[in-house]
């Protein structure tokens, strides 16, 4: 057990003054952060409170040294259906029908779900989905090995001709978040209608963008490869969980264990799951932030246990009052920022700073020099920590989400309990995070004369008033960071680049042809740059760490504000051209990996 020093002071971070600088770059900043921060839709640039106008940069903005070079597109030799998937009207019509029907099946899960073996009826909609998959993808049904794991998890194996090569593993989840019954009338189209509007090219419904789209895209790509006569040398595995929206305890955890038992440690070449997409950060400049790590997780529960009595003779502070003060202390003491250059966020920042024509030169200077100069790194840390949408990617977060206490107006609350949810920083740990909360509880226990209990040991003996107990659950350390260089990364990045060239660059060039003809400021930096990104949340990949050190979270689609703001909300939708590009990405990735000269 880690002992806590009773004299140790509570750590806290200092708030810096914020100014409203660079406000005209609000929209630019929005696109920079899009999908790097889960759920962030507005970015309010804050002051770095620094004076660097006369600072001399180590890398000038026109340096010939590229920190974020454009990768070479990896075009598969077997490319029979790439153009067909992207451009054939009949295929698009069929794909709309497939995705629409999948969305119409309401595979909702809650925060807490029953054991599927004990209550299979709760998951009846998943049986409907499985029948739909069997009927819609006949070649997958007849030619791939299908295994059902823990009643509703789906595992498909397309065996390769060379069993000595590590398989690739593609993930998605079958479940969707529930539709709020009070907001159904706010939907433009019913949430499980799967309605397609040809005027906007949008397909509407819960799960259309999280993540029935990826689920169906993977199945469509594999079905098309089978139809095209592709024969893989390397085995391809599809692992489809059914409760990702409630942490994957019944689905992905069992699937991962089953796969591990079959193949063993470090047995998979590559894992790809839901994640970021391609973002246009400014006109003509695109960033593909492949998420190669995730923060950790832990729920800390703090309970103030006191004594009851009649409310007409109250103590100075009830357990609710003590809890309120502790919550105030927690919220006023955020964890310190810790921006290190191995944080995947730095890749996206660097690519944007190097190739943007709109980002202010002083911010460019800070970002581009942070890698070689501590002064600039500290300035970048200050800038990021003052930005409400970026700051949570460089520190452990805390959110008081659940509280309960008291049962009657004239009865003192015998106990009050609240839960603090933490997303653990890359350079911290679950243990360090929990101990910080213990120290905060110690401060309040001493202030009000309470004991303190943690892990079965009284750090402060209980008093006549009672004691405070700290417990924690669902601990998850920060995910290992997958490589952003090397042969596996090169295949992934090259596939993304080729997808962009096929699916987006021609269309964008046509859209902007008049603008380019009329402008003398066209930048040679236009195009796509593949780099790293980060989630502040977690995906089902948290169960797959032992299988490979190459885990990436990315979907081959263009993401913008409108496509993100409806995820988990009213009017969830997806643009069908982005769904078609996701199919193409999976198709190309499978072929490119199989055509590589990797001998393992």
């Amino acid at each position: 057990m880690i002992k806590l020093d009773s004299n140790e002071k509570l750590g806290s971070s200092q708030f810096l003054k914020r100014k409203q600088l660079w406000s005209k770059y609000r929209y630019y900043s929005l696109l920079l952060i899009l999908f790097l921060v889960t759920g962030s839709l507005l970015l309010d640039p804050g002051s770095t409170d620094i004076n660097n106008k006369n600072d001399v940069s180590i890398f000038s903005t026109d340096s010939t040294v590229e920190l974020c070079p454009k990768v070479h597109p990896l075009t598969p030799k077997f490319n029979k259906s790439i153009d067909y998937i992207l451009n054939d009207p009949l295929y698009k019509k069929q794909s709309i029908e497939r995705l629409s029907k999948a969305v119409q099946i309401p595979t909702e899960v809650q925060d807490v779900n029953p054991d599927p073996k004990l209550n299979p009826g709760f998951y009846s909609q998943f049986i409907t989905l499985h029948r739909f998959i069997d009927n819609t993808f006949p070649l997958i049904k007849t030619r791939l090995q299908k295994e059902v794991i823990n009643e509703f998890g789906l595992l498909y194996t397309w065996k390769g001709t060379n069993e000595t090569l590590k398989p690739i593993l593609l993930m998605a989840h079958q479940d969707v978040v529930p539709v709020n019954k009070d907001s159904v009338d706010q939907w433009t189209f019913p949430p499980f209608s799967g309605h397609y509007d040809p005027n906007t090219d949008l397909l509407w419904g819960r799960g259309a963008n999280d993540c029935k789209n990826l689920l169906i895209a993977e199945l469509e790509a594999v079905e098309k490869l089978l139809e095209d006569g592709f024969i893989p040398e390397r085995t391809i595995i599809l692992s489809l969980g059914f409760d990702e929206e409630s942490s994957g305890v019944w689905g992905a955890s069992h699937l991962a264990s089953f796969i591990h038992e079959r193949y063993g440690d470090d047995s998979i070449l590559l894992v790809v799951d839901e994640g970021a997409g391609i973002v246009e950060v400014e006109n003509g400049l695109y960033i593909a932030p492949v998420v190669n790590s995730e923060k950790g997780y832990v729920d800390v529960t703090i309970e103030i246990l006191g004594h009851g009595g009649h409310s007409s003779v109250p103590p100075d502070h009830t357990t609710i009052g003590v809890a309120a003060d502790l919550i105030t202390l927690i919220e006023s003491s955020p964890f310190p920022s810790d921006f290190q250059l191995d944080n995947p966020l730095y890749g996206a920042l660097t690519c944007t700073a190097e190739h943007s024509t709109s980002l202010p030169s002083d911010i460019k200077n800070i970002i581009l020099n942070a890698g070689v100069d501590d002064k600039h790194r500290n300035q970048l840390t200050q800038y990021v920590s003052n930005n409400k949408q970026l700051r949570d990617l460089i520190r452990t977060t805390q959110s008081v989400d659940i509280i309960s206490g008291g049962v009657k107006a004239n009865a003192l609350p015998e106990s009050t309990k609240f839960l603090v949810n933490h997303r653990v920083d890359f350079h911290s740990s679950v243990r360090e995070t929990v101990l910080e909360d213990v120290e905060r509880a110690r401060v309040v226990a001493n202030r009000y004369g309470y004991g303190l209990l943690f892990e079965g040991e009284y750090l402060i003996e209980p008093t006549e008033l009672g004691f405070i107990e700290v417990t924690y659950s669902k601990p998850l350390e920060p995910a290992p960071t997958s490589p952003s260089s090397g042969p596996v990364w090169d295949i992934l990045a090259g596939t993304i680049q080729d997808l962009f060239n096929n699916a987006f660059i021609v269309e964008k060039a046509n859209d902007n042809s008049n603008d380019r003809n009329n402008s003398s400021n066209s930048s040679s930096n236009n195009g796509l740059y593949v780099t790293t990104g980060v989630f502040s949340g977690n995906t089902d990949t948290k169960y797959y760490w032992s299988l490979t050190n190459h885990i990436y979270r990315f979907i081959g689609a263009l993401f913008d504000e409108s496509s993100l703001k409806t995820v988990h909300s009213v009017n969830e939708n997806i643009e069908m051209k982005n769904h078609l590009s996701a199919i193409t990405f999976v198709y190309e990735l499978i072929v490119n990996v199989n055509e590589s000269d990797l001998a393992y």
Side-chain angles (χ1 to χ4, degrees), residues 332-373:
S332 64
S333 307
F335 282 74
S337 298
D338 182 22
F339 185 59
Q340 301 293 332
L341 298 177
D342 59 353
N343 188 317
L345 173 65
Y346 188 56
L349 293 174
T350 300
C351 276
T352 304
E354 185 166 49
H355 300 291
S356 169
T357 59
S358 302
L359 192 67
S361 59
D362 50 354
I363 297 300
K364 278 192 172 190
N365 184 44
I366 292 172
I367 295 172
L368 296 178
N369 286 286
V372 293
D373 179 72

Side-chain angles (χ1 to χ4, degrees), residues 355-521:
H355 300 291
S356 169
T357 59
S358 302
L359 192 67
S361 59
D362 50 354
I363 297 300
K364 278 192 172 190
N365 184 44
I366 292 172
I367 295 172
L368 296 178
N369 286 286
V372 293
D373 179 72
D374 285 342
K375 174 184 175 182
H376 288 89
R377 186 179 68 81
N378 292 335
Q379 291 172 338
L380 181 57
T381 301
Q382 191 178 11
Y383 171 67
V384 173
S385 65
N386 284 335
N387 187 298
K388 286 186 177 180
Q389 274 66 49
L390 285 171
R391 66 187 183 185
D392 290 338
L393 296 180
I394 64 168
R395 68 177 185 179
T396 295
T397 61
Q398 54 194 16
S399 176
V400 181
D401 293 330
I402 301 174
I403 187 169
S404 62
V407 295
K408 203 170 185 297
N410 63 349
L412 297 174
E414 295 179 351
S415 67
T416 299
K417 179 190 297 186
F418 63 92
L419 180 146
V420 187
N421 173 251
H422 293 286
R423 305 304 170 110
V424 182
D425 183 67
F426 299 104
H427 295 95
S428 184
S429 66
V430 169
R431 189 69 179 172
E432 182 178 17
T433 302
V434 173
L435 291 183
E436 183 72 6
D437 281 353
V438 171
E439 284 302 287
R440 293 161 167 173
R442 183 197 297 275
V443 170
V444 170
N446 284 326
R447 181 179 297 165
Y448 294 101
Y450 277 73
L452 178 61
L453 177 64
F454 176 61
E455 292 187 330
E457 178 180 343
Y458 281 105
L459 307 180
I460 302 174
E461 290 298 319
T463 70
E464 61 180 11
L465 292 176
F467 63 93
I468 299 173
E469 183 176 13
V470 180
T471 59
Y472 62 96
S473 60
K474 300 181 181 177
L476 177 70
E477 298 297 342
T481 300
S482 295
S484 56
S485 62
V488 176
W489 170 267
D490 290 344
I491 295 171
L492 178 64
T495 300
I496 295 170
Q497 183 68 58
D498 194 66
L499 168 74
F500 176 77
N501 291 349
N502 288 323
F504 301 111
I505 193 168
V506 174
E507 177 183 346
K508 188 64 180 179
N510 291 335
D511 289 345
N512 291 336
S513 59
N514 292 331
D515 293 339
R516 288 174 181 168
N517 291 334
N518 296 328
S519 174
S520 60
N521 297 320

Side-chain angles (χ1 to χ4, degrees), residues 151-170:
E151 305 300 320
F152 300 103
L154 294 179
L155 187 68
Y156 291 97
T157 303
W158 189 1
K159 291 186 178 180
T161 59
N162 189 345
E163 294 185 0
T164 66
L165 296 177
K166 293 181 178 181
I168 63 172
L169 195 154
L170 304 175

